[in-house]
Amino acid sequence: MSLSVQKKKILIVVMDGLGDRGCKELGGLTPLQATDTPNLDWFTRNGIAGTCDTVDIGIRPGSDTSHLSILGYDPLEVYTGRGPFEAAGIGLIGRYGDVAFRCNFSTCDSDLNITDRRAGRINKPDTTELIKALEGMRIDGIEAVIKEGTEHRAALILRGAGLSPDVTDVDSHDLGPLSWSKGETPEAKFTAEVLNKFVNETYKRLKDHPVNKKRAANGLLPANIIVPRGAGSFPNIQPFPEKYNMKAACVAGVGMIKGICGVCGLDVIDLPEDCTGGSDSNFVSKAKAALKVLEKYDFVLMNVKAPDVAGHDSDPMLKCGVIKRLDEMAGYLKDNFREDLVIVFTADHSTPCSLGDHSGDPVPITVYTPGNVKDDAVTFSESGCAHGRIGRIRGKYIVPMCMDLADRTEKYGA
Amino acid sequence: MSLSVQKKKILIVVMDGLGDRGCKELGGLTPLQATDTPNLDWFTRNGIAGTCDTVDIGIRPGSDTSHLSILGYDPLEVYTGRGPFEAAGIGLIGRYGDVAFRCNFSTCDSDLNITDRRAGRINKPDTTELIKALEGMRIDGIEAVIKEGTEHRAALILRGAGLSPDVTDVDSHDLGPLSWSKGETPEAKFTAEVLNKFVNETYKRLKDHPVNKKRAANGLLPANIIVPRGAGSFPNIQPFPEKYNMKAACVAGVGMIKGICGVCGLDVIDLPEDCTGGSDSNFVSKAKAALKVLEKYDFVLMNVKAPDVAGHDSDPMLKCGVIKRLDEMAGYLKDNFREDLVIVFTADHSTPCSLGDHSGDPVPITVYTPGNVKDDAVTFSESGCAHGRIGRIRGKYIVPMCMDLADRTEKYGA
């Protein structure tokens, strides 16, 4: 007899860069081992635990490849580089086949020699006005969509038939003449030609723009040209909601994480202002936002960036403090737990303080839902979770595992 | 901020055939469980531990397939048989495409009927003299390179275009007529023809050789023909130093292990005389040699054969004694530890005394480097290591895992 069981919702809490190695300052313990985490331990004690290689054993994941894995995609199959995710991070979400570029607002002379790569570190509101002059461009049948990022940064998408990402940068990464884009294949040659025409057109439209005239009058450098680099194709990704038949959203502060989730078809939810994406972010406020989003969605990925920042800063004491506050966040989620929820606490990768960068050390993972199996893991840490029955898994198995615990999986066979 | 971190070196200590099953003579314990190993336990307590299926779960590895795995190659993809490794083990390291054979110096009559397969167990210096007469042979455009092994053994490589390993043995494995080599495909037919011509030519060159005349005069059997068997292609293996960007060497006494390492592009280091490769080998002397080699190399694989010998001899008490001495060796490595080292203690396979042969039981593994995560495993044994956070891994992940701990791995993604 198969009971009619209510499907559960899924919340994955990604504590960015949480894993670590032994820290001298902590007597050889990791920040997680050294910090009392009663709430994370509660989830571990009452749930199942394990360790996770988000991409694979020994691979040092970036935030992009690891989040793809956590969303159930194998980056070794779908990853095409960071460019598309950065474009998506500022809201420029392309489709499979689109080619994305990172761009700078720059300053050039009338021979198009670059005199300042960042146009005097131009910022909003000037960029917002200037970008409007570049909208709706169409070159040789190709649509050019541009959007401003932070400060002098922008992203560009070329969209249309016959494009290739195998083109060189227009950005010479130096002052002086531009290194006009080139390609080898017919598609790449065409793409380079369109890209070069786009750059020329930005100069035409920006050089006498009122914003630049005003900047000149104020002794500021004009932003009179857009210079692209870092071509990358949008990956061929089956949208998450279609792949898993769940309405899905992400709650994150960092642009690239929002970009990855956006490219995977998750709705990117605006955050309360106190969720900054930095060490000062209000984690409880973010957890509250995630629970609110779960009222309307089946699946939420929530990213908290702060532990990664502490790891990159090589600051074990800061990381311990962040962990203490993450545990308070876990306490909020425990106290406000919805019974129809499968919750996951894990990290996208380790960022050991002794390294100041990502490492391939596996990260702890704990999964809890009412009525699941309790295993013998009792503490949430790199070592404590290793006692659990999840064992050592790859990140791409997290969603399938949760789908089953959420009773959203069809039987395979009879 | 990414710190400028010094890359570490890697030492993998392979205790050959170390794993075991419960022994009646030891009250149901394995030799490792029954023997006090304070030094191996020290590494386990201060490092991370797990269990390892060198090839895969349930597969009984040979020394060749297991060492390929431990060096980071998947034998299911690259293994082509033992022949090439045995040839390489006596210093005849071929290239991809070369076909290797194991050979005997044999005795035959004038109709080429074999009368003694081992030429009266001929040995050096006679074989050394005889082999010289066979050097520089070229048959139908194919180079035939031969080298003597121990006693009546030798190895042959055929090198040139259009060869195939799919040929039958000339060796009939019995007295009487030779079973001339055959092949099915055009390449195999050609290879068999070259091989048969080679055998005929060895008879021509050896039958009246002064060494054989002298042997006859002394009542010894002449070694007047070379009889090949066990054709095998050299595998298509990316050299280890290129694959992992490490200067790599092996410290081993056994021919086949040296052969495997040689084929994988590791430098094979000559050992002190008291490192015999047998049960009487001086393990501390070998460890000392390994540490010396590490001064000039980034990676060293060290193989200690003795526990395998005790397992094949079905002698649990001998195996316990060997383990006691292996622990002393671990003590030497602990007392002379270099801070920039990632050290691995593991086995290539289990050789249970109750079986007298290899089994597929997973082997214990412990990895230690200063500043790594300490997990909760405290004893080095088949059961003790299962508490550690390495979990259960396949052998081919050992090098990638160590590469990351040695900070030699590039980030995958952004």
Side-chain angles (χ1 to χ4, degrees):
Chain A
M1 175 182 67
S2 176
L3 302 176
S4 162
V5 175
Q6 192 203 352
K7 287 176 183 171
K8 291 185 176 182
K9 293 167 183 270
I10 299 167
L11 170 61
I12 300 184
V13 181
V14 179
M15 295 174 281
D16 208 298
L18 181 68
D20 214 296
R21 294 177 179 170
C23 297
K24 256 187 264 179
E25 301 87 336
L26 304 173
L29 298 178
T30 68
L32 256 184
Q33 289 173 326
T35 308
D36 189 31
T37 53
N39 295 303
L40 287 166
D41 293 352
W42 184 90
F43 283 108
T44 306
R45 207 164 54 243
N46 289 283
I48 53 177
T51 61
C52 177
D53 301 280
T54 36
V55 178
D56 205 349
I57 294 177
I59 292 186
R60 297 191 159 180
S63 286
D64 45 7
T65 52
S66 61
H67 275 80
L68 278 174
S69 298
I70 290 170
L71 289 170
Y73 301 91
D74 190 336
L76 301 171
E77 287 168 19
V78 304
Y79 185 63
T80 54
R82 65 191 286 185
F85 301 124
E86 294 200 336
I90 60 170
L92 204 53
I93 299 178
R95 303 192 285 253
Y96 176 49
D98 290 356
V99 179
F101 300 84
R102 301 154 74 195
C103 302
N104 275 5
F105 281 93
S106 300
T107 309
C108 67
D109 64 20
S110 58
D111 294 328
L112 304 193
N113 291 309
I114 299 300
T115 55
D116 190 302
R117 289 187 66 238
R118 300 182 183 85
R121 287 208 174 263
I122 190 171
N123 215 325
K124 290 188 179 73
D126 286 1
T127 48
T128 313
E129 280 307 303
L130 290 170
I131 214 95
K132 284 181 189 159
L134 304 176
E135 283 171 359
M137 236 188 260
R138 225 184 150 78
I139 302 159
D140 297 344
I142 300 298
E143 204 181 334
V145 188
I146 189 162
K147 194 161 181 197
E148 64 178 326
T150 54
E151 299 181 337
H152 57 278
R153 299 178 192 92
L156 166 70
I157 283 179
L158 296 183
R159 173 174 294 159
L163 294 172
S164 159
D166 299 327
V167 294
T168 62
D169 292 352
V170 175
D171 191 347
S172 73
H173 301 262
D174 208 343
L175 300 182
L178 293 170
S179 63
W180 294 105
S181 184
K182 290 181 200 69
E184 301 270 329
T185 64
E187 288 82 5
K189 274 183 187 154
F190 171 65
T191 307
E193 210 175 283
V194 170
L195 188 67
N196 293 335
K197 285 183 182 171
F198 166 82
V199 173
N200 273 304
E201 179 68 21
T202 65
Y203 177 71
K204 273 185 210 153
R205 295 191 184 190
L206 296 179
K207 66 183 164 77
D208 301 319
H209 194 284
V211 166
N212 279 329
K213 288 199 164 158
K214 196 173 151 200
R215 286 178 66 84
N218 292 330
L220 297 171
L221 291 172
N224 54 7
I225 193 163
I226 300 285
V227 183
R229 66 178 185 278
S233 271
F234 273 86
N236 188 6
I237 282 183
Q238 187 189 10
F240 187 95
E242 181 188 307
K243 181 170 180 173
Y244 293 109
N245 195 23
M246 289 192 286
K247 200 165 172 238
C250 100
V251 173
V254 177
M256 190 192 277
I257 309 295
K258 292 197 271 190
I260 295 158
C261 291
V263 171
C264 293
L266 282 72
D267 289 345
V268 178
I269 307 294
D270 286 331
L271 284 177
E273 274 192 11
D274 57 351
C275 299
T276 61
S279 297
D280 60 340
S281 188
N282 185 336
F283 306 154
V284 169
S285 171
K286 191 176 268 186
K288 201 179 286 188
L291 288 183
K292 196 163 166 56
V293 172
L294 274 170
E295 289 171 15
K296 294 195 179 159
Y297 285 83
D298 304 315
F299 175 96
V300 171
L301 182 140
M302 167 181 168
N303 173 286
V304 187
K305 187 69 180 169
D308 185 53
V309 175
H312 280 286
D313 285 351
S314 294
D315 190 338
M317 300 315 295
L318 174 62
K319 201 161 179 180
C320 289
V322 165
I323 289 169
K324 199 71 209 152
R325 287 170 50 225
L326 287 171
D327 192 64
E328 287 163 21
M329 174 198 75
Y332 177 85
L333 288 167
K334 173 162 76 78
D335 296 340
N336 296 276
F337 200 80
R338 22 185 320 155
E339 287 301 299
D340 66 343
L341 186 63
V342 175
I343 195 166
V344 179
F345 292 96
T346 191
D348 54 347
H349 52 76
S350 298
T351 307
C353 292
S354 60
L355 196 61
D357 206 343
H358 304 185
S359 80
D361 295 271
V363 296
I365 178 170
T366 274
V367 182
Y368 169 76
T369 191
N372 64 345
V373 174
K374 287 185 195 185
D375 62 25
D376 298 334
V378 292
T379 51
F380 185 78
S381 74
E382 294 88 347
S383 50
C385 285
H387 293 282
R389 86 182 201 112
I390 292 178
R392 182 170 189 165
I393 61 167
R394 286 178 64 180
K396 67 175 179 177
Y397 292 114
I398 294 175
V399 171
M401 176 174 65
C402 291
M403 288 280 292
D404 180 61
L405 291 171
D407 296 320
R408 290 177 172 274
T409 303
E410 295 297 320
K411 197 190 291 180
Y412 172 56
Chain B
M1 175 181 63
S2 178
L3 301 177
S4 164
V5 175
Q6 192 203 351
K7 288 176 183 172
K8 292 184 177 181
K9 293 166 183 269
I10 299 169
L11 171 60
I12 300 184
V13 181
V14 180
M15 296 175 280
D16 207 298
L18 182 68
D20 214 296
R21 294 176 179 170
C23 298
K24 254 188 270 177
E25 300 87 335
L26 304 173
L29 298 178
T30 69
L32 255 184
Q33 289 172 327
T35 309
D36 190 31
T37 54
N39 295 304
L40 287 166
D41 293 353
W42 184 91
F43 283 109
T44 305
R45 208 164 53 243
N46 289 284
I48 53 178
T51 61
C52 177
D53 302 280
T54 36
V55 178
D56 207 347
I57 294 177
I59 291 185
R60 296 190 160 180
S63 286
D64 45 7
T65 51
S66 61
H67 276 80
L68 278 175
S69 299
I70 290 170
L71 288 171
Y73 300 93
D74 191 336
L76 302 170
E77 286 169 17
V78 303
Y79 185 62
T80 54
R82 64 189 288 185
F85 301 124
E86 295 200 335
I90 61 170
L92 204 52
I93 298 178
R95 304 192 285 252
Y96 176 49
D98 291 354
V99 179
F101 299 85
R102 301 155 73 194
C103 301
N104 277 5
F105 280 94
S106 300
T107 308
C108 66
D109 63 19
S110 57
D111 294 329
L112 303 193
N113 291 309
I114 299 299
T115 54
D116 189 302
R117 289 187 65 238
R118 299 183 183 85
R121 285 208 175 264
I122 191 173
N123 214 326
K124 290 188 179 72
D126 287 1
T127 48
T128 313
E129 280 307 302
L130 291 169
I131 214 94
K132 283 181 191 160
L134 306 174
E135 283 171 1
M137 236 188 261
R138 225 184 150 78
I139 301 158
D140 298 345
I142 299 299
E143 204 181 335
V145 188
I146 189 161
K147 195 163 180 194
E148 64 176 327
T150 54
E151 298 181 339
H152 57 278
R153 299 178 192 92
L156 167 69
I157 284 179
L158 296 183
R159 174 175 294 158
L163 294 172
S164 160
D166 299 327
V167 295
T168 61
D169 292 351
V170 176
D171 191 348
S172 74
H173 301 263
D174 208 343
L175 300 182
L178 291 170
S179 64
W180 295 104
S181 183
K182 291 181 200 68
E184 301 269 330
T185 64
E187 288 81 6
K189 274 183 186 151
F190 170 64
T191 307
E193 209 175 285
V194 170
L195 188 67
N196 293 334
K197 284 182 183 172
F198 167 81
V199 172
N200 273 303
E201 180 67 20
T202 65
Y203 177 70
K204 272 184 213 157
R205 294 192 184 190
L206 295 179
K207 67 183 165 71
D208 300 320
H209 193 284
V211 167
N212 279 329
K213 289 197 164 160
K214 196 172 150 200
R215 284 178 68 84
N218 291 330
L220 297 171
L221 292 173
N224 55 6
I225 194 163
I226 300 284
V227 182
R229 67 179 185 278
S233 273
F234 272 87
N236 188 6
I237 281 184
Q238 187 187 10
F240 186 95
E242 181 188 306
K243 181 170 180 175
Y244 294 108
N245 195 24
M246 290 192 285
K247 202 168 171 236
C250 100
V251 173
V254 177
M256 191 194 276
I257 308 296
K258 293 198 271 190
I260 295 158
C261 290
V263 170
C264 293
L266 281 73
D267 289 344
V268 178
I269 307 294
D270 286 330
L271 284 178
E273 275 193 7
D274 56 351
C275 300
T276 62
S279 297
D280 60 340
S281 187
N282 185 336
F283 305 154
V284 169
S285 172
K286 190 176 270 187
K288 202 180 285 187
L291 288 183
K292 197 163 166 54
V293 172
L294 274 170
E295 289 170 15
K296 294 195 179 158
Y297 285 83
D298 304 314
F299 176 94
V300 171
L301 182 140
M302 167 182 167
N303 174 285
V304 187
K305 187 70 179 170
D308 185 53
V309 176
H312 279 287
D313 286 351
S314 294
D315 189 339
M317 299 315 294
L318 174 60
K319 201 161 179 179
C320 289
V322 165
I323 288 168
K324 199 71 208 155
R325 288 169 51 225
L326 287 171
D327 192 63
E328 286 162 22
M329 175 198 73
Y332 177 85
L333 288 168
K334 172 163 77 79
D335 296 339
N336 296 277
F337 199 80
R338 19 185 325 154
E339 288 299 299
D340 67 342
L341 186 63
V342 176
I343 195 166
V344 179
F345 293 96
T346 191
D348 54 347
H349 52 74
S350 299
T351 308
C353 292
S354 59
L355 195 61
D357 206 343
H358 303 186
S359 79
D361 295 271
V363 296
I365 178 170
T366 273
V367 182
Y368 169 76
T369 190
N372 65 346
V373 173
K374 288 183 196 185
D375 63 24
D376 298 333
V378 292
T379 52
F380 185 78
S381 72
E382 295 87 346
S383 50
C385 285
H387 293 282
R389 87 179 199 114
I390 292 178
R392 182 171 187 165
I393 61 166
R394 286 179 62 182
K396 68 174 178 175
Y397 288 112
I398 294 175
V399 172
M401 177 172 65
C402 291
M403 288 280 291
D404 179 61
L405 291 171
D407 295 320
R408 291 178 171 274
T409 304
E410 297 294 321
K411 196 190 291 182
Y412 172 54

